[in-house]
Amino acid sequence: MSREPILRVAINAPLSRLFDYLPPADGANSLPRPGCRLLVPFGRRRQTGVLLEVAKTSDVPAARLKRVQKVLDPEPILREPDLRLIRFASDYYHHPIGEVVGCALPAPLRQGKPLHESRQRLKLTADGAHAVPAEAVRRAPRQSALLELLQRDGSLAAEELDRLLPGWRQPARGLVAKGVAELVEELGPPPAAGSAQKTATAPVPNPDQAAALEALSGRRDFHVALLDGITGSGKTEVYLSLIQETIALGRQVLVLVPEIGLTPQFVGRLEGRLGLAAAVLHSSLPDSVRLATWRAARSGAAPLVLGTRSAVFAPMQNPGLIVVDEEHDGSYKQQEGLRYSARDLAIARGKQLDIPVVLGSATPSIESLSRCREGAYRRLTLPARAGGAAPPLLRLVDLNRHPPTEGLARPVVEAMRRHIDEGGQVLVFLNRRGYAPTLICRSCSAVAECRRCDARMTVHARSGRLMCHHCGAARPLDDSCAACGGPVAPLGQGTERLEDTLQQRFPDFAITRIDSDSTRARGAMDQALAAAISGQTRIMVGTQILSKGHHFPDLTLVVVINADQGLFSTDFRGTERLAQGLIQVAGRAGRESRQGEVLIQTAFAAHPFWHELLTGGYERVAAMALEEREDAAWPPFSRLALLRASSTRRADTHRFLEIARELADDSPQDGTRVLGPVAAPMERRAGRYRGQLLFQSRTRRALHRVLASLRPKLEEEPFARRVRWSIDVDPLELF
Ligand code: ADP
Ligand code: ZN
């Protein structure tokens, strides 16, 4: 008996290996190819897996090998380049490959549904079409009725039959048995190539744009360019030109954006200029739409694929360019499951495919700037606003000289009045939703705390509740102190409170609050944005939701209520993030003819950060941050990974991390430091105690070696079942 081949299958399970199966009983002569989905027995259930390798032998004893039950795809749905990216992500992030495959597939495909919606159709056979075997159906009136319908039309789709003759499947079986009719599967219609009205023409590139295009256009091989241009400098115009050129060559373009909900204007602009519909992929689409879009990307029917981070896995028939807009944005990093950076995977993918990758930002990440310095990426700068508008003027408002009332300093209120009188719009930015961040007792000073987290409850006045922003817990607002029964009062400012204060100060104007509470209802965000964009609203209050991507033509003043928290962050990315946030929100001001003004309230006006930012801009802050990182050997001058763990028992979390540390110590370390275990700064969240180990290596290779040997040991470690744990390579948050 000749030995059967072994099918090695990736299954969505938290184990870093493939699972071996024998070919299906009926399919030994035509083996499925890697990239096809298979239905396999797994434990006591059946699972959809993806075939990755065909091997000659297996380590599993022959008697224990099970058979594949069914091959779900006649052709690989993930093709070789897609599988390469998946393998890379699994290796780089030390994450089980089956779960990586799970990230790369839309939900219906993960669940084993067909790639193409097939539709059933009942057809007359040649026999059925010729003679009417009346006696054959004489005693079956429903078969007879169905036959009559078929003879009129020749064939009918299942959904038409559902309408014409409910319950038709039973008589259909009778007709099929008699050889009069047959049930055939047909593929759904091919996805229509997207089209959109071409509504705009390109402006003539200015000299900076022309220089960038000169450097980039015509190059089709792998290279990374960083388009470093202030807000409004015309980066999008440069992308558009490159996209157009690539599509004209018959190749597809992938554009990644941080958050789709925030960028309808961006999508509309791309579509209007290119005259084609973008295939938009993001997580809040209905499954069926997502699948259809994924299919259009895969088949090549969609020339432009645009999406949030998971779109980096979108298969493409003929890719030619990848663009990552706002490359510094933290939302490119997935913070659960496979903790990947879509920007970094986009670069890896560009390299594998040998196509260009263009990153763009007004505030590039320190990592990308450092790659430019090394000469690995090419940096192209757009230093001025394209339309000729002057960049906004940043000024500090010293809260020690101008003590605020209800959160607002006098110069700020005066400036608001002036801008509104001159027909401008004002955006007041506060990164704290709710009414107040604390509820405090006036007699004993106790604060209302979350029962499941080491955190305070936020006061939400509109809903009359206390809410925890860490675990989502909510309870009715206390009207007296839980500890002493004394009177309680909200302390500090949130967007709700600021809205009330502004309404009192500016009673003649409608105030629009935009944060994740005010925009929860369907359509509320669009409505608020429409009011803001049309100029109907003169004063907007909001969180960082407002800081990205939007273009408010009349906006001339941005007020930042409280930036001081960021000054004292313990994270080595703290000042970089603060500067990015401020520049992004400042970039909303004065995008048209009038110059914008930005006022930043601070109680620490002498902090060196402000001097750097105000005199040297983001560039100076970034250069300083890079120096600090070099001195302290933080990334990119070292490589980091975190092993995070949590459990409902503090001792278990700690014990697991101790075990992990010992297991890691067993491996050859060549220059990897293991720091910890330490508790997370907010140790308890949602009732779980959290802790971590930090791995710091000089090189990626050294870090990789340690993690590659540690991960399988942890998967085998019995104590690991008592905790939840995860590995985070290149963590964005250190805590
Ligand atoms: P960014 O993407 O860097 O924020 P945009 O591409 O959105 O910048 O450009 C900002 C504004 O300037 C847009 O209204 C755009 O149409 C306009 N613009 C861009 N390039 C030019 C140009 N070369 N000439 C005139 N207007 C331009
Ligand atoms: Zn909580």
Side-chain angles (χ1 to χ4, degrees), residues 15 65 87 108 110 178 189 236 262 277 319 322 337 354 356 366 379-380 399 421 441 580 626 662 678 709 713-714:
L15 292 170
L65 278 173
R87 282 193 201 98
R110 259 190 329 261
K178 287 171 185 144
T236 308
L262 307 181
I322 304 178
D354 194 24
I366 305 288
R379 182 171 172 205
L380 300 157
L399 293 179
D421 286 348
C441 172
Q580 284 167 347
L626 194 61
E662 280 161 34
V678 292
S709 104
K713 291 183 201 164
L714 292 179

Side-chain angles (χ1 to χ4, degrees), residues 33 35-36 73-79 82 105-106 109 115-116 191 252 279 281 291-302 305 313-319 349:
R33 284 185 290 149
C36 289
D73 300 305
E75 294 290 315
I77 57 164
L78 291 168
R79 292 166 296 205
D82 309 319
L105 291 177
L109 297 180
L115 175 63
H116 296 278
Q252 289 169 283
L281 278 170
L291 177 56
T293 310
W294 194 87
R295 216 166 36 218
R298 180 181 176 278
S299 70
V305 182
F313 290 108
M316 289 187 285
Q317 169 70 30
N318 188 15
R349 188 173 184 188

Side-chain angles (χ1 to χ4, degrees), residues 203-206 209 229-237 269 386-387 591:
V204 180
N206 64 29
Q209 288 169 321
I230 63 168
T231 331
S233 61
K235 296 183 292 297
T236 308
E237 291 300 333
R269 184 163 157 207
R591 287 175 54 100

Side-chain angles (χ1 to χ4, degrees), residues 226-230 235 239 324-329 359-365 580 584:
L226 174 65
L227 205 52
D228 178 357
I230 63 168
K235 296 183 292 297
Y239 306 151
V324 184
D325 191 31
E326 309 288 5
E327 65 88 25
H328 66 278
D329 199 290
L359 311 178
S361 177
T363 53
S365 63
Q580 284 167 347
Q584 293 289 339

